[in-house]
Amino acid sequence: MHFDTVIRHGTVVTASDIFRSDVGIIDGQVAALAAGLVDADEIIDATGLYVMPGGIDSHVHLDQPSGPGIVMADGFDSGTRSAAIGGNTTVLAFCMQEKGQSLRSALKAYHAKAEGHCHVDTAFHLVITDPSAAVLEQELPALVADGYTSIKIFMTYEGLRLRDDEILSTLDAARRTGALAMVHCENEDAIRYLIGRHEAEGLLEPRYHATTRPIAAEREATHRALSLAEIVDTPIVIVHVSNRQAMEEIRRARERGQKIAGETCPQYLMLTAQDLEGDALEGAKYVCSPPPRDRESQEACWDGIEQGVFELFSSDHCPFRFNDSEGKSNERGKQSFRWIPNGIPGVATRLPILFSEGVMKGRIDLNQFVAVTSTNHAKLYGLYPRKGTIAIGADADIALWDPDREVIITNDILQHGSDYTPYEGLAVRGWPVRTLLRGQTIMQDGHLSKATASGIYLRRTLSSLARNRAETNPV
């Protein structure tokens, strides 16, 4: 058999297996896994490297409206370029419905932003902020049938959050259509109360972003989201969990028989609230929601990954520039933490941080690394087995990892739009040295290999978590 490309002498790693094998690729798909494959147009020598599925980052914000005068640092070009640098081959970004806007209109705008600019494959989650009858009863069923099979609900941020009755109606519509619902869990009323109290006391520095969003506000909202989901028997994903208390709510709900998935992120393993205490406005670099917590919470999140409470490890890449009047250093943000844009960059550093801190330090094994960074994302969001594994017939989305490559993370190597990384100076061991998207090399040794963006939009099937609850035919 003649192949377009053969990857030779590497160690193939999937979520379930580790084995020595060559990988033969034809027409962008894995066509053979065997020793001695040599008949190919291109031979890639992977001696000493791990051959793993490309990363799937299912929690990425790109080119998203962020309030008056605030501009997100990454569009689809720079954001997906940075994703490829970090060993990713697919990202799932958020399509934000604004109040009064139809979902179709929001999707049209986001597709226009993304088309022709994506260096990796993409898909959209639908953020529902205006759950009208027309949206839930007409638009959502049709869009799920078209392959937009996940939605997101906010319990915080004025203008985005839904009331409990709106959450119930949205979750119920998700159950009927088979859409998988993601929930951002923080109690907005508690946060607004604490912001008012802080402002009355003149506590306005970036550090107070963390104290106005305490663990209890996240824990309560997590419990409430799980309770509402239980009432309408709807599977949900609790995203970006930052602490043990919220994690235990997920564990208990699962023990009751609920269909739940949990997600955590690098910032909750590597940062703490103390990082927000930098001189002047430096702490603004670390403002995100939920905020980083403390060392005990870091260990809790590691426990959640190791024990399987968290099936997903995502970046929650939400980038803003620091030295920019349209970013973290906007005039109102200089006066009060409440106006500092929420979010930090991280799409390129997600995989190296978990590999170095998790695999190389013995916290998780290689199979679990692949599962929480790729395979589980593909299964939960309707992309498996096309994505998330190395198997006959799967897309040849592959990252070649050098487990011994030592890198000092600096902002200049990440190629995102932000002017900083919260992980500046962090030493990591293990780094992706080559990324293939559907059989074509898109990144090699930290540089993009293709002049044109070759990513495509992905139509998805129903989630493995949600399809059995659906009342409609699976897509």
Side-chain angles (χ1 to χ4, degrees):
M1 183 181 295
H2 180 78
F3 301 97
D4 299 326
T5 303
V6 167
I7 301 171
R8 298 209 67 202
H9 307 306
T11 300
V12 176
V13 183
T14 69
S16 57
D17 298 297
I18 302 175
F19 55 95
R20 293 295 300 273
S21 177
D22 298 342
V23 181
I25 299 168
I26 298 176
D27 293 334
Q29 294 183 329
V30 177
L33 293 168
L37 303 180
V38 294
D39 185 6
D41 296 333
E42 179 186 29
I43 300 288
I44 298 173
D45 184 5
T47 301
L49 303 180
Y50 291 129
V51 181
M52 296 196 281
I56 300 174
D57 195 341
S58 60
H59 195 143
V60 173
H61 301 268
L62 299 172
D63 209 350
Q64 186 173 295
S66 304
I70 303 299
V71 177
M72 190 163 278
D74 275 324
F76 285 87
D77 184 4
S78 60
T80 59
R81 180 192 308 123
S82 189
I85 294 297
N88 299 283
T89 50
T90 299
V91 298
L92 278 69
F94 292 95
C95 172
M96 177 76 72
Q97 177 203 28
E98 300 187 68
K99 292 291 186 182
Q101 185 183 33
S102 71
L103 294 178
R104 287 282 186 190
S105 175
L107 279 168
K108 183 178 180 180
Y110 272 82
H111 275 291
K113 293 177 180 181
E115 187 174 0
H117 298 293
C118 295
H119 298 278
V120 302
D121 289 351
T122 59
F124 291 143
H125 305 294
L126 303 172
V127 178
I128 296 181
T129 65
D130 193 358
S132 65
V135 166
L136 298 184
E137 297 172 14
Q138 299 172 28
E139 282 200 289
L140 185 60
L143 288 172
V144 171
D146 285 347
Y148 301 93
T149 56
S150 53
I151 65 172
K152 186 177 183 183
I153 295 168
F154 283 91
M155 300 176 76
T156 186
Y157 302 132
E158 201 59 42
L160 299 182
R161 68 156 172 171
L162 302 185
R163 303 185 310 266
D164 283 3
D165 61 321
E166 294 174 319
I167 293 173
L168 281 167
S169 62
T170 304
L171 290 179
D172 204 21
R175 178 189 57 79
R176 293 194 306 271
T177 61
L180 181 61
M182 312 161 71
V183 188
H184 178 141
C185 298
E186 290 182 285
N187 184 314
E188 176 67 11
D189 290 326
I191 291 165
R192 292 178 69 188
Y193 173 79
L194 290 173
I195 288 174
R197 198 171 75 180
H198 278 62
E199 289 181 332
E201 297 174 4
L203 305 176
L204 304 176
E205 291 83 5
R207 71 184 67 184
Y208 297 112
H209 169 77
T211 54
T212 56
R213 292 178 174 269
I215 287 174
E218 183 182 349
R219 182 196 66 224
E220 184 279 331
T222 302
H223 177 81
R224 181 157 41 97
L226 291 165
S227 298
L228 295 173
E230 184 177 9
I231 289 169
V232 290
D233 191 25
T234 304
I236 61 173
V237 181
I238 304 295
V239 297
H240 48 49
V241 176
S242 72
N243 61 86
R244 185 174 301 280
Q245 291 90 326
M247 181 183 78
E248 291 301 329
E249 294 290 342
I250 296 171
R251 193 197 304 272
R252 284 192 289 269
R254 192 171 289 155
E255 289 172 352
R256 294 194 299 270
Q258 281 189 256
K259 296 293 185 182
I260 309 296
E263 173 197 86
T264 195
C265 308
Q267 50 267 38
Y268 307 121
L269 304 181
M270 304 303 297
L271 305 176
T272 70
Q274 288 185 333
D275 290 302
L276 279 73
E277 298 178 5
D279 294 336
L281 199 64
E282 282 292 309
K285 292 179 177 179
Y286 306 94
V287 167
C288 60
S289 295
R293 304 299 186 182
D294 52 24
R295 298 295 181 192
E296 182 181 355
S297 294
Q298 286 182 347
E299 288 305 313
C301 289
W302 276 114
D303 288 346
I305 293 173
E306 294 170 25
Q307 297 166 11
V309 180
F310 299 134
E311 295 96 332
L312 303 175
F313 186 73
S314 306
S315 69
D316 193 8
H317 179 76
C318 189
F320 299 92
R321 292 180 61 82
F322 176 65
N323 289 307
D324 194 323
S325 61
E326 294 180 321
K328 298 279 190 178
S329 298
N330 70 86
E331 288 304 313
R332 290 201 299 175
K334 292 177 182 178
Q335 305 303 315
S336 173
F337 65 87
R338 71 178 299 184
W339 304 115
I340 297 171
N342 267 254
I344 59 177
V347 70
T349 49
R350 174 184 73 118
L351 296 174
I353 285 174
L354 188 64
F355 191 92
S356 182
E357 296 292 319
V359 176
M360 299 308 291
K361 293 187 178 181
R363 288 181 166 117
I364 59 174
D365 62 24
L366 284 166
N367 304 118
Q368 194 169 6
F369 173 82
V370 170
V372 301
T373 61
S374 184
T375 309
N376 292 350
H377 300 255
K379 289 181 177 180
L380 279 168
Y381 293 115
L383 293 169
Y384 190 84
R386 178 181 180 182
K387 304 288 188 181
T389 192
I390 298 176
I392 305 299
D395 281 0
D397 292 354
I398 294 170
L400 303 183
W401 280 78
D402 183 346
D404 297 317
R405 176 76 63 92
E406 295 184 353
V407 174
I408 304 296
I409 292 175
T410 56
N411 193 58
D412 61 300
I413 69 174
L414 304 179
Q415 301 188 36
H416 55 207
S418 183
D419 56 356
Y420 79 98
T421 170
Y423 310 109
E424 185 78 28
L426 177 67
V428 294
R429 184 179 173 197
W431 195 263
V433 296
R434 190 163 183 161
T435 307
L436 288 80
L437 176 66
R438 285 175 276 107
Q440 298 295 311
T441 296
I442 58 170
M443 184 280 289
Q444 187 170 1
D445 294 324
H447 302 282
L448 287 192
S449 302
K450 294 179 68 66
T452 57
S454 56
I456 61 173
Y457 189 81
L458 300 169
R459 184 179 188 270
R460 293 177 289 132
T461 62
L462 297 187
S463 168
S464 59
L465 195 67
R467 65 170 61 101
N468 291 334
R469 296 293 199 280
E471 295 178 359
T472 57
N473 292 326
V475 296

